[in-house]
Every structure is written in structure tokens, then in C-alpha cells.
Amino acid sequence: MIVFVKNEEAGKVKTRLANTVGDDKALEIYRKLLGYTFDQVNSLEVTKEVWYSRFIEQEDVWSEGDFKKHVQEGVNLGERMSGAFRKSFEEEGVEKAVIIGSDCAELTTVILEEAFSRLDKNDIVIGPAEDGGYYLIGMSRFFPELFKDIAWSTESVLEKTIQKATQMGASHFLLKELNDVDEIGDWKRVEDKLH
């Protein structure tokens, strides 16, 4: 289980949300999302990793669980995800790997467990996001092609990813569609869940 996070720095997290609520409030919201994500992932009985955007934080919410800590590498999201998957599949005994971000307050432990179980019969599992991207992607072996030539942070990410999977002859399963917290409206929908 790979969790991608941004380092907790005002002005560098939830920048679209910060346009409405300001940098400090956006950081506060992001910390709540991190705590929520930690709670959903921590009870999973799998190897867990957290991958930071810039540097490894020594004392943070992830230190409370059994998380291996890494730093993302690559110029775009695709390269960073591809690198994390590659490293995971190089570990001995790893048969499946799942990546999530840390901005989906609708994601649950049950959905994460389903993602892993769907990989028993599918090459790829994807959790579609309402904005045309995805909140989760998992695979039963490494498919680096899935992350090449994608215009990240656009509404065509999911569509292009499915096209690539089909072209490769890889079977895929789509989980329930969820919404990421990017704008103030997204936050209002889930604010009551996150204390």
C-alpha cells in the first residue's frame, strides 16, 4: 500500500483550495485529510509505505503506524508513481501494489480492501475520481506504460489510462467513483466527517 503525500508546508498544499480559504487554512484542511487517510490505511494487513513530495518527515502522523518512508522521484506525477510501483515490485514477494493520494475523504478501508482483492483476478484496478482522474490505481505486476504520455491533472487522465490498459491487453476493474478535495465545494461536502 503506497500513499503519496505532500510535505506539510503552507503555500505548497491544496493550492486551488488556498485561492479561496488562504494558505494556512488550506494546510489545516490538508492535515485533516492526512489524518483521515492514515486512519483508513493503518489497519490494512499489508506492507505500508508513505512517499513524500520533497523530504522525509521524521515526526508526523505516519510515524504512528508501521509505514516505510520514501521520497518521490520524477518530474511529473506519472514518473513519480511509476518509480514507486517499480520499487515496490522489486521487493521480494510483492504480488500486488496500490497507490492512493491523500485528498480523498470518501475513501474507506473497505474500498482499499476491495482494490487489493480485485487484483486477484484483474491486472489493474482503478478508482475513478469525479474530475476525470483517479484517486487510486493498483496493479498485479508493473505496467510502466500506464504512466507515459498522460496530461496529468486534466479530465482525460482516467480515459487515457483505460485506453492504455486496453491496448496492452491488461484486464482492469473500476471501483466506485469518488470525489477528491480540490476546491471549496469539495471540502464543504466532507467537512463534517473530518474533525
Side-chain angles (χ1 to χ4, degrees):
M1 181 77 244
I2 300 164
V3 184
F4 264 31
V5 300
K6 286 192 171 170
N7 290 90
E8 298 172 37
E9 300 170 281
K12 301 224 172 123
V13 298
K14 296 278 122 225
T15 47
R16 279 190 279 167
L17 190 58
N19 290 336
T20 314
V21 300
D23 290 345
D24 291 340
K25 180 70 175 169
L27 178 58
E28 182 191 318
I29 289 169
Y30 187 60
R31 285 187 171 134
K32 288 182 179 182
L33 288 165
L34 289 174
Y36 177 84
T37 305
F38 173 85
D39 289 342
Q40 303 314 306
V41 172
N42 196 38
S43 62
L44 292 173
E45 293 182 14
V46 295
T47 303
K48 295 179 278 287
E49 301 177 348
V50 59
W51 288 68
Y52 296 90
S53 55
R54 297 196 324 114
F55 55 89
I56 290 176
E57 300 267 9
Q58 296 309 324
E59 294 299 319
D60 62 2
V61 67
W62 308 101
S63 306
E64 297 167 25
D66 184 23
F67 286 81
K68 294 180 185 173
K69 295 185 172 189
H70 303 279
V71 178
Q72 301 167 27
E73 293 175 12
V75 296
N76 62 39
L77 180 60
E79 283 185 17
R80 295 195 295 267
M81 287 196 290
S82 188
F85 271 123
R86 182 183 307 106
K87 189 166 177 18
S88 289
F89 280 111
E90 284 169 359
E91 302 272 327
E92 196 174 323
V94 171
E95 294 173 359
K96 39 183 136 164
V98 171
I99 284 186
I100 59 168
S102 46
D103 9 52
C104 186
E106 296 179 354
L107 187 56
T108 63
T109 307
V110 171
I111 294 171
L112 292 171
E113 287 169 344
E114 182 186 2
F116 278 100
S117 70
R118 292 290 178 183
L119 286 170
D120 291 339
K121 294 197 168 95
N122 296 276
D123 298 318
I124 298 161
V125 63
I126 303 170
E130 286 180 13
D131 62 6
Y134 51 77
Y135 60 85
L136 175 154
I137 187 162
M139 48 188 79
S140 58
R141 59 194 162 90
F142 183 39
F143 294 100
E145 303 87 351
L146 278 184
F147 305 104
K148 292 179 180 155
D149 306 317
I150 300 261
W152 299 102
S153 301
T154 65
E155 56 195 31
S156 64
V157 171
L158 176 68
E159 184 188 340
K160 286 269 195 261
T161 304
I162 292 170
Q163 277 174 7
K164 283 176 178 288
T166 306
Q167 285 162 3
M168 291 185 299
S171 61
H172 70 275
F173 182 86
L174 292 181
L175 298 164
K176 182 176 166 183
E177 184 177 86
L178 301 178
N179 188 43
D180 281 338
V181 174
D182 291 316
E183 313 272 357
I184 188 69
D186 306 328
W187 170 241
K188 294 282 184 214
R189 279 168 61 171
V190 297
E191 188 174 7
D192 294 344
K193 283 176 69 171
L194 280 68
H195 304 297

